[in-house]
Amino acid sequence: MSLDAMDMQTPSLQALAKGDKQIYGDVQGLECLRGMTYYYQTVYQSIRHLVDPRRQPSTPDLDLPKDGLVRLSVEEVRSLRRFINSDLEQLGIEFYLQRVGWAMSCCRDAATPGHQAHAQQFPARHPCVMKGGFKAIAETGNDSAYPYEEFLGETHAIFAAIHAHLVSINRAFGELYYHVAELPFASFTPAGKSEIGHLSSELNRLMRGLMVATHLQPQQGWQSDLISYLLTCRADCQRFFETIPHYYQMHRLRLVVYPIGTARDEEARGRPHQFPLSCLPWSSGVYLDFLNAYQNIAQHTLAVLHWSIRLYARWYFVPRRVLQAISPISA
Amino acid sequence: MPGLVNESSLPTHLQLLQEPRLTLADVAELVPDARRRPEEGLDPFSSAPQEWGSYYQAMVRKTASTQDGSFRFNAEGAFAPRSQKAACESLCGWLGLDRRRHSIEVKAIGEWLRNGTPLGSRLFWRLRDKLKSEMLAETDLYNRPICRLVQVDQLRYDPDYTAVYQLTPAQVRLITDQGGTPEEGAAKGALSPLARIHQNQRLYWTISEHFQSAIALFDSDLGSTKPSEQGTKNLLHIHEQKEGGHGIAPHALNQYSPLRFWSPPTTFARYVFHMLFWQPIVTGRDLYKRVFPDDTAQRIAKFRVAINGYNAAKYRIADYAGLLRLLEELTDAFAEHPRRAMLAKMDDIPLKHPVFHPREFTHPQLVRLPSGTVRIPLKSLNARTWELTSRYHDRSRATTVGHMFQMLRDRILEILLWSKYQMEIRSVGMVPVQRVYHVELTTEGLAFVERLQSLHKQERYDELDEEFSTAVFSGTLRKWVVLRKEYDRESSRLLTRKITDIQWLETTE
């Protein structure tokens, strides 16, 4: 049952629906991924708060704490992850049932004026323009035209892989949150915090791509060419990897480059000196841990994008150059 | 077949797993004795240090057989020992209670065993403490094999990646719903499959992991296809908080649970295998009332043994101390009421203790909205007689609090008995299977089955139980069961359709 179908009387549910719209956009969300979505939002907003406490949460209607920092213990995070990962077990089934529902709607509305035009405009939501099994359901109106057993045979390996990567991403979120909550993030210099802020914003873009990849629906109208958008996300991931050595290099450079004079001289003159990040000894290892966690998430996201393109290719035309690009032996 | 004559030539469990054939007796040796706490002499993989209860589920009724026959259950599954005094002494001995020094506690346990009078918090604490001390820890199982008995139609082989998977209950249900029998189709109910999955997901977030583990415990009418008219077959209902939200019983929640049950090799070979395997072979119906073919060889051919390596990511050990806490709270919920009070006249009892609900996450949005409540439905059911407690009283009598005490006592005894054998390791969701074995019986085993089938046909159930329990506890039965390896992930042996009847995942390409 989608959030829309729930009782909308309570303010908190209304806020939740509004927050959902900000996060999901045009995507009709899979319930099994909702927990993971909120989990990521809490980690992301918590990092943004620590980077800049003056900044308001980017999803205010999600009813987050006022300051954006969600306080969870390590044990709570682990327990939460167990519930989220249990939900993920139903990913393939929900994906199938969602499209069966759409296919039945297509069958009912086939003769409705405007249906065909709508299908051409939003092909991801219309099995009548797919090839393969879901189209058979849309044509016959009978779900046994493409039973779950057959769907399982075609997609089980893909969903098993996507599931494994999503579980790893959840674990990496936990590591990020651990670094945020348990380690002296607050003692980072402004330079360090702004670097973390940049990385988080980049990661947020990748996560939007992950949402589109796992739902195989466009989030915004301009993403209607889904395969091109997924390829763009893939390029974003690769660019993200390229920036990691840059941050690491800057971190190393700061280890050896010191300003002439000392901090005490600066303080004596009345101007406090701002050390680069790594000149604070207790933060250097933490910074590298952050980089590692971000890289981890990006790698798994890239893998999910590849698997999603393979899944997409089952039911839609995908140009050969795209399949070559995601092939294991491609350059 | 590997020789296991003397300890100096005992193969390691890894060597045993590479053998193409194993007997069930070999499976019991897959884990070498490992003393977790040598100062206390505890060995988590051997039999319980005090055999005050050896529990298994017999073919036609639930019985318990011990070395001294202390604990027995009758045909309906109610606790019915031969001697209350012997049962009390046996349990007190396990708990380390001396009749002279702990006379009050001993008396309380005697009352509890006799009529279910609730134990006090101190005795519950003692039970939980004892359970905790004897439980397996995760570290005991790292890189150790764990076993499960599966049916071949729950397995699928992926020929592209040469991997065998066990389907989750939700997948099996969806496949069955789409291609099942009319009776199964009629049992679907008003909600669509997607709506049912979503409802289950919402309600699973409402309940704690302990409660999820206890679902099977409260699935009191295991396998029955007859719907309960008044909902009195299940003790608990889980309700959605939104107005008009209806409640569901744990067994309905269980239909989409991603949990599966595994066990360590020693307990699997000595107890769990027998608990699940022999009933369908002899009677033609399993614990879940599923029908098996008429031919004995075909019945045996439906089974496989799966052996995987334990890891803490996908597997969890059942927390019996936590389950006991859950039952303690249920007992306390009724303890304030007089024994003779009729359930139909009592208000519903909401259950708010954290043992029923997950730890409250700081952020409310992380818990799915709307959340649910757990309650014991009493007045709202308006049922004079509960089916759940029918084994404790005449059907013409109203169900009272006293009957509920007896039912809870038996559930607690089940936990205490099961925990001795560490049967339950839960896996979550899609699990690739590392090794799959065919189950075969030796000539002696087949003759034994014929004998049991004959006794069953003649309805000579007492003799059947006696023969069976003797064969199980003497270890004879283990030698008559042979496992022939069908698939081993490490050797990546390709399975062809000629050598396996595990269904392939087919593609249309």
Side-chain angles (χ1 to χ4, degrees):
Chain A
M1 183 193 290
S2 71
L3 211 54
D4 293 337
M6 290 183 185
D7 183 3
M8 298 301 290
Q9 295 300 319
T10 57
S12 60
L13 276 175
Q14 286 175 342
L16 192 64
K18 212 169 164 188
D20 262 14
K21 185 67 184 167
Q22 279 179 293
I23 296 170
Y24 282 92
D26 294 335
V27 169
Q28 190 175 329
L30 293 172
E31 283 296 310
C32 59
L33 291 172
R34 189 178 291 275
M36 184 175 169
T37 306
Y38 286 147
Y39 179 34
Y40 165 68
Q41 285 294 322
T42 59
V43 172
Y44 176 59
Q45 299 296 352
S46 299
I47 293 175
R48 283 168 62 93
H49 162 76
L50 290 172
V51 162
D52 185 359
R54 294 164 299 181
R55 193 181 287 174
Q56 293 296 317
S58 61
T59 49
D61 295 315
L62 205 57
D63 196 25
L64 286 166
K66 269 190 184 163
D67 60 3
L69 178 61
V70 178
R71 290 163 176 81
L72 292 169
S73 69
V74 171
E75 208 181 303
E76 280 177 322
V77 168
R78 196 159 177 248
S79 183
L80 173 65
R81 213 163 58 230
R82 280 189 167 176
F83 280 87
I84 292 172
N85 289 343
S86 292
D87 272 359
L88 289 179
E89 302 295 344
Q90 316 282 17
L91 179 60
I93 295 180
E94 281 205 34
F95 189 94
Y96 168 78
L97 289 173
Q98 185 182 55
R99 272 145 191 81
V100 167
W102 291 344
M104 296 294 206
S105 299
C106 282
C107 186
R108 277 196 306 272
D109 302 336
T112 309
H115 173 81
Q116 194 66 23
H118 196 261
Q120 295 295 334
Q121 196 179 0
F122 301 104
R125 299 276 285 268
H126 285 269
C128 53
V129 298
M130 287 182 180
K131 58 179 182 175
F134 291 116
K135 184 169 182 173
I137 298 178
E139 285 171 352
T140 61
N142 188 356
D143 62 0
S144 57
Y146 186 46
Y148 178 70
E149 179 95 59
E150 195 176 327
F151 173 84
L152 195 68
E154 293 181 357
T155 61
H156 182 77
I158 297 175
F159 279 108
I162 290 176
H163 174 268
H165 286 296
L166 291 179
V167 166
S168 295
I169 290 173
N170 283 335
R171 189 165 163 274
F173 286 159
E175 281 171 15
L176 267 189
Y177 186 78
Y178 167 73
H179 295 136
V180 162
E182 301 278 327
L183 296 174
F185 185 99
S187 65
F188 280 12
T189 60
K193 285 184 183 175
S194 69
E195 283 175 2
I196 297 293
H198 291 148
L199 279 169
S200 303
S201 298
E202 281 298 313
L203 188 76
N204 195 45
R205 201 150 81 148
L206 299 185
M207 289 300 104
R208 289 187 180 277
L210 183 69
M211 171 177 293
V212 171
T214 47
H215 289 84
L216 283 187
Q217 299 170 54
Q219 196 182 19
Q220 316 266 350
W222 55 269
Q223 296 166 352
S224 58
D225 184 358
L226 209 58
I227 205 70
S228 295
Y229 176 69
L230 291 177
L231 277 181
T232 309
C233 294
R234 180 174 170 270
D236 284 344
C237 288
Q238 285 161 340
R239 198 178 64 239
F240 189 84
F241 293 141
E242 286 163 14
T243 61
I244 297 285
H246 164 74
Y247 284 115
Y248 174 67
Q249 194 66 17
M250 289 301 295
H251 162 78
R252 283 185 68 242
L253 280 176
R254 291 187 197 117
L255 282 175
V256 297
V257 174
Y258 290 90
I260 297 171
T262 66
R264 290 200 183 95
D265 293 339
E266 297 289 338
E267 282 171 9
R269 287 199 281 274
R271 282 175 292 135
H273 178 77
Q274 284 193 343
F275 285 105
L277 175 68
S278 57
C279 286
L280 300 175
W282 60 83
S283 50
S284 55
V286 175
Y287 185 72
L288 289 180
D289 285 341
F290 259 108
L291 292 184
N292 195 44
Y294 282 116
Q295 190 168 7
N296 213 0
I297 294 173
Q299 280 171 337
H300 287 293
T301 303
L302 182 64
V304 172
L305 286 167
H306 284 178
W307 284 109
S308 296
I309 291 172
R310 271 195 64 185
L311 189 68
Y312 186 84
R314 294 218 70 88
W315 303 301
Y316 296 93
F317 168 73
V318 173
R320 187 180 292 274
R321 61 179 170 79
V322 174
L323 295 174
Q324 281 175 344
I326 64 169
S327 157
I329 55 173
S330 63
Chain B
M1 192 178 305
L4 298 171
V5 177
N6 58 65
E7 293 204 17
S8 60
S9 65
L10 193 68
T12 63
H13 67 279
L14 290 177
Q15 290 171 355
L16 274 175
L17 286 173
Q18 286 162 12
E19 298 290 338
R21 289 169 71 89
L22 297 173
T23 64
L24 209 57
D26 298 332
V27 173
E29 304 297 328
L30 278 179
V31 178
D33 287 349
R35 291 198 174 266
R36 182 156 50 101
R37 281 180 282 174
E39 64 278 7
E40 294 177 41
L42 276 180
D43 184 342
F45 293 108
S46 71
S47 299
Q50 179 179 345
E51 288 225 31
W52 62 273
S54 301
Y55 179 82
Y56 68 97
Q57 190 149 3
M59 287 68 65
V60 295
R61 68 185 70 173
K62 200 155 63 170
T63 63
S65 173
T66 67
Q67 283 180 331
D68 58 2
S70 305
F71 285 81
R72 294 184 73 86
F73 291 80
N74 65 16
E76 283 82 39
F79 178 57
R82 285 201 188 104
S83 160
Q84 285 281 351
K85 188 180 169 194
C88 182
E89 276 176 6
S90 192
L91 181 53
C92 291
W94 179 62
L95 287 173
L97 294 173
D98 183 76
R99 186 172 277 282
R100 274 174 293 188
R101 281 190 292 127
H102 304 104
S103 56
I104 298 172
E105 286 91 342
V106 169
K107 190 178 173 193
I109 285 183
E111 283 296 305
W112 177 63
L113 288 176
R114 192 173 61 81
N115 59 18
T117 304
L119 297 170
S121 55
R122 282 171 64 99
L123 276 171
F124 267 120
W125 174 86
R126 204 179 257 270
L127 282 171
R128 275 189 277 123
D129 198 49
K130 188 74 175 157
L131 282 177
K132 257 189 213 170
S133 66
E134 292 187 353
M135 266 176 55
L136 279 177
E138 281 189 345
T139 43
D140 293 325
L141 288 169
Y142 284 167
N143 204 31
R144 300 261 195 226
I146 52 175
C147 309
R148 179 169 161 75
L149 186 71
V150 300
Q151 292 195 27
V152 69
D153 55 7
Q154 294 171 353
L155 297 176
R156 292 292 184 276
Y157 177 60
D158 183 344
D160 293 330
Y161 292 91
T162 63
V164 174
Y165 288 93
Q166 184 180 12
L167 299 181
T168 64
Q171 289 173 315
V172 171
R173 182 154 293 276
L174 193 55
I175 291 171
T176 313
D177 281 355
Q178 284 189 327
T181 63
E183 290 76 22
E184 285 161 344
K188 277 183 198 176
L191 290 177
S192 68
L194 191 59
R196 273 184 285 152
I197 284 174
H198 288 162
Q199 183 190 54
N200 274 33
Q201 281 171 342
R202 286 198 300 275
L203 293 176
Y204 258 117
W205 278 70
T206 292
I207 61 178
S208 67
E209 285 201 331
H210 287 129
F211 192 2
Q212 291 181 27
S213 300
I215 293 289
L217 201 66
F218 297 114
D219 191 352
S220 63
D221 200 17
L222 206 60
S224 169
T225 53
K226 189 181 164 189
S228 170
E229 290 172 5
Q230 290 176 310
T232 58
K233 283 187 177 176
N234 297 99
L235 179 59
L236 300 178
H237 278 192
I238 306 153
H239 284 254
E240 294 193 72
Q241 267 185 354
K242 62 173 187 162
E243 193 149 336
H246 56 280
I248 66 172
H251 82 275
L253 204 65
N254 200 29
Q255 291 168 2
Y256 290 95
S257 165
L259 298 175
R260 297 290 216 175
F261 299 102
W262 299 68
S263 54
T266 42
T267 54
F268 178 77
R270 289 174 189 162
Y271 312 112
V272 176
F273 177 88
H274 308 297
M275 193 175 89
L276 299 171
F277 179 75
W278 298 104
Q279 178 169 353
I281 302 302
V282 172
T283 68
R285 278 182 183 264
D286 67 1
L287 282 178
Y288 296 92
K289 308 288 192 294
R290 288 176 291 210
V291 176
F292 276 63
D294 291 333
D295 181 60
T296 302
Q298 286 179 3
R299 289 177 183 177
I300 296 170
K302 278 186 76 96
F303 284 102
R304 297 290 187 278
V305 170
I307 299 183
N308 273 12
Y310 179 89
N311 65 74
K314 268 290 187 184
Y315 302 94
R316 294 168 217 163
I317 297 177
D319 180 2
Y320 289 107
L323 289 176
L324 186 70
R325 187 81 182 87
L326 196 143
L327 287 170
E328 181 186 346
E329 283 303 308
L330 285 172
T331 310
D332 285 348
F334 286 101
E336 297 166 1
H337 302 274
R339 285 186 72 95
R340 293 176 188 272
M342 282 173 53
L343 298 189
K345 293 187 178 170
M346 288 166 54
D347 289 331
D348 292 3
I349 302 177
L351 298 167
K352 294 183 179 165
H353 193 275
V355 77
F356 294 101
H357 298 284
R359 289 172 71 96
E360 286 181 13
F361 302 114
T362 307
H363 192 285
Q365 304 301 341
L366 295 176
V367 180
R368 202 173 296 279
L369 288 178
S371 57
T373 57
V374 182
R375 70 172 95 131
I376 304 174
L378 298 172
K379 193 184 273 183
S380 61
L381 277 184
N382 195 25
R384 189 168 182 274
T385 307
W386 275 49
E387 292 162 274
L388 186 66
T389 56
S390 57
R391 63 195 74 170
Y392 304 104
H393 57 82
D394 195 286
R395 281 185 184 267
S396 61
R397 291 183 58 190
T399 303
T400 64
V401 169
H403 300 133
M404 199 56 80
F405 284 154
Q406 289 174 287
M407 194 277 296
L408 288 170
R409 173 203 63 201
D410 289 355
R411 288 294 188 266
I412 291 172
L413 282 174
E414 280 180 26
I415 282 187
L416 298 182
L417 290 166
W418 279 40
S419 71
K420 308 294 286 174
Y421 307 99
Q422 291 297 322
M423 288 194 211
E424 292 179 24
I425 296 164
R426 277 124 204 193
S427 68
V428 183
M430 276 189 293
V431 174
V433 180
Q434 290 174 277
R435 294 172 196 85
V436 179
Y437 294 82
H438 265 291
V439 181
E440 296 172 351
L441 296 183
T442 59
T443 316
E444 295 93 331
L446 288 169
F448 179 71
V449 165
E450 267 189 51
R451 167 100 183 117
L452 295 183
Q453 285 173 336
S454 164
L455 288 173
H456 181 253
K457 213 171 174 182
Q458 296 165 45
E459 297 182 10
R460 289 156 62 182
Y461 299 129
D462 284 340
E463 283 180 57
L464 193 157
D465 284 347
E466 193 59 41
E467 275 212 41
F468 182 73
S469 56
T470 305
V472 167
F473 292 110
S474 66
T476 320
L477 216 48
R478 275 177 252 160
K479 294 177 191 152
W480 295 341
V481 178
V482 176
L483 306 182
R484 179 170 55 81
K485 188 180 284 188
E486 184 178 15
Y487 168 81
D488 187 336
R489 181 80 194 122
E490 286 181 10
S491 65
S492 293
R493 182 187 176 208
L494 292 180
L495 292 180
T496 64
R497 290 186 202 269
K498 281 185 188 170
I499 61 174
T500 184
D501 51 0
I502 296 174
Q503 195 169 332
W504 285 31
L505 287 173
E506 301 282 4
T507 65
T508 51
E509 289 166 353

